Amino acid sequence: MTIPRRSWRAAGTLVAAAVVGLSGAVLTAGPAAAHTPTWAVTCDEVSLHLTQYNAGVTNEVTVTVDGKDLLPTEKFGKDFDKKLALPEHDQPLTVRLVVKAGDGDQFSEDETKQAPVCEGTPPSKPTPSPTKTKPSETPTTASPSPTGTPSESASPSAPAAAPSPSSPDLAETGSSSSTPIIGGAAVAVLLAGGGIMWSVRKRRTAQH
């Protein structure tokens, strides 16, 4: 029994198509299997070993510890190999690795690990909260009491003590009821003396 040539040609075409398909699948799966993000976390260190990435694109890697950057975003090509020291800690730390592949998100990596506490690390003492001190009250200065207002008029002087009956009589000052009599007598004496003087002179003149 002879097989027609057309059947051989059809079978050859199917085989060729299958070979091409398998080759494409192998080529496509090659880069995916090549991305190898290897990393390890200890109590004091993070080790990164990113190998066999696509060197024809730009890849990025970032490492954070409890939300803070331990390795800011850094670009790399085919490989990336680095060790990062962790800060001292007395509680486990959350370490996150983010790798962004430039040839597709399906090759990117986002993984989180815990960094344990190193043995012999003393626990940190809680810092006491500062006590609020009340401000001292401002001493109030006592205002001086108002002094009594001086009296507008001077206080009347005490009346002079009345002379005691045993004290000698004081000389009278001012006028009294006997003053006109004494004055009249004095005038009469003066007139009488003047008349006597005038008569004596007249006699002497007559004798000479």
Side-chain angles (χ1 to χ4, degrees):
M1 179 178 181
T2 59
I3 301 174
R5 291 183 179 179
R6 292 181 179 179
S7 299
W8 282 108
R9 290 179 181 178
T13 303
L14 292 175
V15 171
V19 171
V20 172
L22 290 174
S23 300
V26 171
L27 292 175
T28 305
H35 297 76
T36 308
T38 304
W39 68 303
V41 177
T42 62
C43 68
D44 59 353
E45 187 179 70
V46 178
S47 301
L48 301 177
H49 303 285
L50 311 179
T51 60
Q52 299 181 11
Y53 278 77
N54 189 349
V57 296
T58 301
N59 306 300
E60 294 179 353
V61 56
T62 306
V63 179
T64 59
V65 176
D66 287 346
K68 298 180 181 179
D69 285 341
L70 181 65
L71 175 67
T73 302
E74 190 169 335
K75 298 178 181 180
F76 68 98
K78 182 179 179 181
D79 300 325
F80 186 86
D81 192 354
K82 197 168 188 178
K83 291 184 179 181
L84 307 171
L86 289 172
E88 294 183 0
H89 55 281
D90 57 358
Q91 294 181 354
L93 300 177
T94 301
V95 183
R96 181 184 179 187
L97 171 68
V98 178
V99 179
K100 185 176 182 181
D103 52 354
D105 291 340
Q106 68 272 21
F107 307 128
S108 298
E109 185 74 18
D110 190 343
E111 190 176 353
T112 301
K113 293 184 180 181
Q114 292 288 326
V117 179
C118 296
E119 295 182 0
T121 303
S124 60
K125 297 180 180 179
T127 56
S129 58
T131 56
K132 296 182 180 179
T133 57
K134 294 182 179 180
S136 58
E137 296 181 357
T138 306
T140 56
T141 55
S143 58
S145 58
T147 56
T149 56
S151 58
E152 296 180 359
S153 60
S155 59
S157 58
S164 60
S166 58
S167 60
D169 294 336
L170 298 176
E172 292 183 0
T173 59
S175 60
S176 63
S177 58
S178 60
T179 300
I181 298 173
I182 295 173
V187 172
V189 171
L190 289 175
L191 292 176
I196 294 171
M197 293 276 304
W198 180 77
S199 62
V200 171
R201 287 180 181 180
K202 188 176 181 180
R203 287 180 184 180
R204 288 180 181 179
T205 303
Q207 288 178 0
H208 290 292

